[in-house]
């Protein structure tokens, strides 16, 4: 189930062709989002997480991930 998180929207200035660090830390329903090591959002999921599912979406941008690490 995908829900657009209106209350979890954060605008960030982005410079083209410059690498940025994006980190998600999730425990239970709490999602902490870090942008270049700065906490920019702490948000509670409105429903329980689903095992084996991850979805990253951008709006007004095209993202390229050079590295991805998943720890359990």
């Amino acid at each position: 189930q995908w829900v657009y998180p209106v209350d979890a929207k954060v605008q960030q200035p982005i410079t083209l062709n410059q690498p940025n660090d994006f980190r998600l830390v999730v425990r239970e329903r709490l999602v902490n989002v870090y942008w270049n090591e700065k906490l920019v959002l702490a948000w509670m999921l409105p429903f329980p997480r689903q095992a084996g599912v991850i979805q990253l979406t951008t709006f007004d941008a095209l993202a390229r991930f050079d590295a991805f690490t998943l720890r359990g």
Side-chain angles (χ1 to χ4, degrees):
Q1 177 182 359
W2 189 83
V3 175
Y4 179 77
V6 175
D7 57 337
K9 184 171 73 170
V10 177
Q11 291 184 348
Q12 291 294 311
I14 298 175
T15 303
L16 292 176
N17 301 315
Q18 176 180 329
N20 295 283
D21 291 319
F22 172 73
R23 181 167 49 113
L24 290 174
V25 179
V26 181
R27 175 169 281 169
E28 304 291 329
R29 292 179 44 227
L30 176 62
V31 179
N32 288 331
V33 180
Y34 295 84
W35 183 258
N36 294 323
E37 300 304 318
K38 177 184 172 192
L39 178 64
V40 294
L41 178 68
W43 182 62
M44 292 295 289
L45 290 168
F47 47 83
R49 292 186 301 138
Q50 298 176 12
V53 175
I54 185 170
Q55 179 176 352
L56 302 175
T57 304
T58 64
F59 295 94
D60 299 327
L62 176 63
R64 184 183 87 195
F65 295 92
D66 293 324
F68 180 86
T69 303
L70 178 65
R71 296 182 209 159

